Amino acid sequence: MNTKDIITLAIESSCDETACSILKNGREVLSNIISTQIDIHKKFGGVVPEVASRKHIENIDIVVQQALEEANVDFGDITHVAVTYGPGLVGALLVGLSYAKMLAFTLGIPLVGVNHIEGHLSANYIEHKELKPPFITLIVSGGHTHLVEVKDYGKYEIIGKTKDDASGEAFDKIARAMNLGYPGGPIVDKLAENGNPNAVNFPRACIHEEGYDFSFSGLKSSVLNYLNSMKMKNIEIIPEDVCASFQAAVIDVLVYKTIKACKDKKYNTVTLSGGVASNSALRKKMEEECYKSGLNLKYPPLVLCTDNAAMIGCAGYYRYKNERRDGMDLNAVPNLKINQG
Ligand code: KG4
Ligand code: ZN
């Protein structure tokens, strides 16, 4: 390792993944260890915050040791520690944050707090080495649905967001109502591959509204009403068709608003990020529409779409370069906004 290299040790524990990653100069991932609790929370049909915090405590040390080993790096090689401090579940965030503070303090190196949403969009910098701002990004995850202008590293303007449910939340709720399992997104995605997206005409909320906001709770109610009315009439539903029709309604709005924002604001690059960016139909439709409109589309590989620490390390690297430093008083901020810290 060159002495000028900046080595980031990044920690993520905002929800149900305990993760640690080591990066060289922000965009080169030396290790990316993710310990997921999905199997534990599956039994409850969703993340149980108290259980998530306890599991983070059990896992964090193991995950950090593995990340160091796999990267072939010692504590002495680390330049700074980057850690998610919001948004997320407060108890879960505090585990990673306390561990990161302990490391930074004992090693005598800077602590850099990272915004989880900024982490998601930064996953694209890791995969696409040539990518640099400005561009438009669509951040779609279990907790967030944001359309953001990335004006520079660390400079964001939110131009659209969901008024109610996040897009991933809608996938999870529909899957739950259909008893498909948790998390719902990947299951709905898979079933939808063999379904007819035109089988049921679910609403495309906000599509004709001014601006770039989204809304998914009406769509969710519409799917629930459909399921109930079919049950009352004793008509068996075709899960593949319901999944494909629901998914198409989500995707149509996401794609339409993203392309419109790019055209209105004269951007030629668009990126996708967050767990829902793994969705195969979203990637395909966005690809087709970007191609038609002459826009460049970038998205991360699947492992960098859902929660991971490499994306936190990349965002943390740019924060470090921009002189961001946090003290031992850094607290978890469960509802931190992308442009607020
Ligand atoms: O980014 P993420 O790991 O966590 C948050 O920060 O929220 O996103 C998790 C969300 C879940 O709602 C999950 O159902 C959804 O991403 N998801 C998907 C797919 N894979 C994960 N949604 C649709 N299609 C997928 N293939
Ligand atoms: Zn996330």
Side-chain angles (χ1 to χ4, degrees):
M1 212 143 332
N2 192 313
T3 48
K4 286 208 182 107
D5 287 334
I6 294 178
I7 305 296
T8 306
L9 183 149
I11 292 176
E12 154 65 33
S13 71
S14 67
C15 192
D16 58 348
E17 264 91 31
T18 322
C20 180
S21 174
I22 314 283
L23 298 92
K24 188 163 117 183
N25 302 322
R27 289 189 175 203
E28 189 183 332
V29 178
L30 303 182
S31 64
N32 185 23
I33 308 295
I34 305 167
S35 167
T36 180
Q37 306 171 7
I38 283 181
D39 282 343
I40 297 159
H41 298 285
K42 243 182 199 163
K43 295 187 220 109
F44 307 102
V47 178
V48 182
E50 169 71 19
V51 176
S53 312
R54 284 169 186 264
K55 286 289 156 195
H56 285 312
I57 293 172
E58 286 172 25
N59 293 337
I60 186 122
D61 200 44
I62 301 166
V63 160
V64 172
Q65 294 303 333
Q66 273 183 7
L68 289 166
E69 262 170 47
E70 201 170 287
N72 203 13
V73 156
D74 296 323
F75 278 128
D77 299 319
I78 309 291
T79 315
H80 72 110
V81 179
V83 62
T84 306
Y85 75 105
L89 302 169
V90 68
L93 287 165
L94 283 170
V95 177
L97 185 53
S98 308
Y99 195 97
K101 283 183 190 175
M102 177 275 289
L103 270 187
F105 183 77
T106 49
L107 297 173
I109 56 177
L111 175 73
V112 177
V114 175
N115 184 313
H116 181 82
I117 315 175
E118 183 179 10
H120 271 303
L121 79 88
S122 303
N124 281 291
Y125 294 133
I126 297 172
E127 181 64 11
H128 307 287
K129 305 293 183 215
E130 75 297 350
L131 177 69
K132 45 181 195 277
F135 55 86
I136 290 260
T137 188
L138 174 69
I139 307 171
V140 273
S141 73
H144 316 279
T145 301
H146 281 86
L147 202 47
V148 176
E149 276 183 80
V150 181
K151 300 193 161 175
D152 202 346
Y153 295 103
K155 272 186 85 184
Y156 309 106
E157 189 169 338
I158 302 175
I159 53 171
K161 58 181 185 319
T162 180
K163 299 177 191 173
D164 37 59
D165 292 352
S167 45
E169 197 180 347
F171 273 91
D172 294 338
K173 285 180 176 167
I174 295 308
R176 195 176 183 164
M178 295 173 71
N179 287 320
L180 297 176
Y182 176 85
I187 306 169
V188 171
D189 187 353
K190 194 92 203 103
L191 283 174
E193 274 175 22
N194 298 314
N196 173 8
N198 301 314
V200 193
N201 187 16
F202 291 126
R204 270 74 174 152
C206 299
I207 206 156
H208 298 300
E209 259 179 34
E210 281 276 306
Y212 312 101
D213 282 346
F214 306 99
S215 164
F216 298 106
S217 81
L219 168 62
K220 176 193 68 193
S221 305
S222 178
V223 178
L224 297 182
N225 287 342
Y226 172 81
L227 295 172
N228 275 336
S229 79
M230 296 305 268
K231 200 171 166 191
M232 306 272 276
K233 290 182 211 155
N234 246 333
I235 304 174
E236 216 166 295
I237 58 150
I238 301 171
E240 288 82 356
D241 284 356
V242 179
C243 288
S245 301
F246 155 76
Q247 187 176 271
V250 175
I251 291 171
D252 276 358
V253 187
L254 292 176
V255 172
Y256 178 82
K257 296 257 167 174
T258 307
I259 302 283
K260 183 165 185 330
C262 280
K263 286 185 182 164
D264 292 351
K265 294 180 177 287
K266 314 228 174 324
Y267 282 86
N268 54 23
T269 300
V270 47
T271 73
L272 301 179
S273 46
V276 183
S278 326
N279 186 274
S280 53
L282 171 63
R283 287 171 174 231
K284 187 163 174 272
K285 173 109 183 170
M286 195 69 92
E287 199 93 71
E288 286 164 7
E289 295 303 317
C290 282
Y291 180 75
K292 278 189 213 158
S293 300
L295 300 168
N296 296 313
L297 173 65
K298 312 257 181 235
Y299 45 74
L302 299 187
V303 68
L304 295 180
C305 284
T306 42
D307 289 350
N308 65 87
M311 67 184 198
I312 302 301
C314 180
Y317 165 83
Y318 286 107
R319 286 184 166 218
Y320 175 83
K321 296 278 279 182
N322 281 337
E323 312 286 331
R324 163 93 181 217
R325 300 292 183 268
D326 286 288
M328 291 298 124
D329 56 349
L330 179 66
N331 207 346
V333 184
N335 56 359
L336 186 67
K337 305 282 179 286
I338 190 174
N339 48 2
Q340 280 177 351

